[in-house]
Amino acid sequence: MVVNTIKENLNVNKKVATRKEIVFVEGDMIVPDAKPDVLNVICTSGVVCIYKKEIIDEKIKIEGNVDTYIMYMTDDNEERTRGINTSLNLSEVINIPNITNEMESYICTNMKEIEAKVVNERKISIKATIELTIEVYSKEEISIVNSLENADEIKMLQEQLSVNSLIGSGETKIYAKENIAIDNIDNLVEILKLNVNIENKDIKISYNKVLTKAEAEVKMVYLTEDNRINKTMATIPIIGFVDIQDVNEGNICDTNYEIRNILVKPNSVEEHSVYIEMEMSVTATAYEEKTINMIQDLYSPSENIEFNKKTVRTIAGKREIVETRDISERLRIEELQDRNIVDVDVVPNIIKQNMMGDKIIYNGELELRFMLMGEDLQILMKKEVISFEYNLDNISDGDNLNIRTNIEIGAQDFIIQEGGEVLANVQMRMHTMLDKNVNMNTIDEVQTTGEREEQDYSIIMYIVKKGDSLWKIAKMFGSTVDDIARVNGIEDENTIFPGQKLFIPRYKRKGMSSKQASMINYA
């Protein structure tokens, strides 16, 4: 006879795959006729844009472009600094087993390096090295059996488990536009260098909506008509709403930002500004913390019970930890004695990540790329590295944790001192997203297959073995946890120990002889 079950629905958002891939985007740039010949490349910069991603047959196809800016020294008598820019096509197909087109993917890009080599005075070969972090999730609605109807004779082993149940996800497009001012005395000729970083991400949840907030930090080095090199910086607000049904203030929300397209256009000389427009895709995924009562096992002292067992994988303990770390170090740069600092790029890199006890230990480095300029207006690039160690304490469940860490560079200051020294002050913001994989063991399709025969009552003695519990012993002998605890005077049902002698009240099973029923089991 089928036993009626009481079920609770759970929406699972399973992480199917996490993949880090290094991809290379290559191309040649022909110097426009209006530009002077190239002597050598001084530095490069660029912005990665992803405008399309698609999962097909265990592959993810990614399409986009890399907007590249090259600063170079001209091959003429004046040896001036000039700049050119181009857009490289990004098209990659990455194999990831067990993914399907119904799943959702999230991509984070990190520009590792752009290498530019002079082929001849009118041609430059470009190679961009990009790190892609890809996460693929699968949504599934499952039913968990947490109780039985009219089953007084059936003993149930139940467990409470807190998990993160998916509420839903949504996406919005944001167009961020801004006129970035330059000095009033500057008449801009061309942009030499451009960097864009998405920082200060935050959310605010109201009923059925998620307000996403962030800032695009834009840093631009440009050339003026009188052959000077200057820099300007600005922050562009990125604000949007993502609609998610039934989301509320008590929920947890992950967000992901992807730059789809970027337009940079100098305004008229009189305006002394540069127009920037960015198309952003922002995805929000909301979870609620849910406590599930699950039946782990069951049996009946008087009836034969059959049921199916299944294991469901989900996530729990989702949280984000944000901490700030200030780094200050003196660097000796000989070239600074007769030059000034025009710009510094700070690139964080986590070299090693270890879980030790209840802490995460990070070893990494800050790569500082100094752009220096002397009185002759010649540009020199100098690279320095600052090593750092960072510990995140009081982290539990380390063996099962999924850890994703992102470093944002906040305030930075570089003070030139005597003797070619510079005091570097850099603020790091560590965003660590944590969750753990949980395997839920649950049951389904419960039915009785008839009463046990020969309901003769007996008591046997049993010696507890390693790994035993009162539940296991009660099920083994067709007894109950309450009866064993009562007969043996056990106050805490969870406390028994190997070698302990227990008297087990039980029903004698069909086919078991009196000698077998009274047999003593030894550890």
Side-chain angles (χ1 to χ4, degrees), residues 405-417:
T405 303
N406 177 49
I407 302 178
E408 291 182 2
I409 300 300
Q412 48 188 289
D413 186 28
F414 303 94
I415 304 170
I416 298 177
Q417 300 182 329

Side-chain angles (χ1 to χ4, degrees), residues 127-350:
K127 181 179 180 180
T129 303
I130 302 167
E131 182 183 66
L132 299 176
T133 302
I134 305 168
E135 294 184 347
V136 182
Y137 289 83
S138 172
K139 298 178 182 178
E140 181 182 359
E141 184 173 341
I142 60 175
S143 296
I144 303 294
V145 176
N146 57 17
S147 189
L148 305 176
E149 290 183 346
N150 302 322
D152 296 336
E153 293 298 319
I154 298 178
K155 306 300 177 182
M156 295 178 288
L157 177 63
Q158 291 182 302
E159 179 187 12
Q160 275 194 347
L161 185 64
S162 292
V163 298
N164 296 120
S165 179
L166 176 69
I167 297 173
S169 62
E171 182 180 8
T172 188
K173 290 182 182 178
I174 301 174
Y175 292 90
K177 306 174 183 179
E178 190 79 25
N179 285 308
I180 299 178
I182 64 175
D183 287 350
N184 287 333
I185 63 171
D186 291 345
N187 293 327
L188 186 146
V189 174
E190 58 197 13
I191 297 169
L192 303 176
K193 185 169 174 285
L194 180 72
N195 295 98
V196 178
N197 292 308
I198 308 301
E199 298 182 344
N200 299 323
K201 301 171 188 175
D202 195 13
I203 61 167
K204 185 175 181 180
I205 303 175
S206 59
Y207 187 66
N208 290 337
K209 287 187 181 296
V210 177
L211 170 64
T212 63
K213 298 187 294 181
E215 291 178 337
E217 184 189 75
V218 179
K219 184 170 62 173
M220 186 185 308
V221 177
Y222 59 90
L223 180 70
T224 67
E225 280 186 353
D226 53 355
N227 206 34
R228 290 180 296 106
I229 294 175
N230 208 343
K231 181 179 75 171
T232 186
M233 296 180 64
T235 56
I236 303 175
I238 303 170
I239 301 175
F241 286 95
V242 180
D243 294 324
I244 301 178
Q245 188 69 29
D246 298 327
V247 70
N248 61 59
E249 292 180 356
N251 298 144
I252 306 161
C253 196
D254 287 341
T255 55
N256 189 67
Y257 289 75
E258 296 175 4
I259 300 177
R260 289 198 165 188
N261 200 6
I262 185 167
L263 172 65
V264 182
K265 182 181 178 182
N267 290 318
S268 64
V269 173
E270 293 79 12
E271 293 184 47
H272 299 285
S273 63
V274 177
Y275 175 75
I276 290 189
E277 179 178 322
M278 290 186 295
E279 179 188 353
M280 305 286 302
S281 171
V282 183
T283 305
T285 305
Y287 301 84
E288 65 174 326
E289 190 167 334
K290 199 169 186 178
T291 300
I292 302 291
N293 262 323
M294 297 182 301
I295 300 177
Q296 299 288 292
D297 197 7
L298 53 83
Y299 73 95
S300 171
S302 59
E303 295 182 285
N304 294 313
I305 304 291
E306 291 183 356
F307 55 88
N308 291 332
K309 284 188 175 183
K310 62 179 181 179
T311 300
V312 178
R313 189 177 185 185
T314 186
I315 57 174
K318 179 173 281 294
R319 62 199 186 278
E320 180 179 11
I321 301 172
V322 181
E323 292 190 356
T324 300
R325 170 85 180 272
D326 292 323
I327 293 179
S328 182
E329 187 156 334
R330 292 181 182 273
L331 303 171
R332 182 165 184 81
I333 305 176
E334 296 290 345
E335 293 83 356
L336 267 178
Q337 295 188 29
D338 54 359
R339 290 179 175 85
N340 293 319
I341 297 174
V342 177
D343 184 37
V344 184
D345 289 335
V346 182
V347 181
N349 187 22
I350 295 174

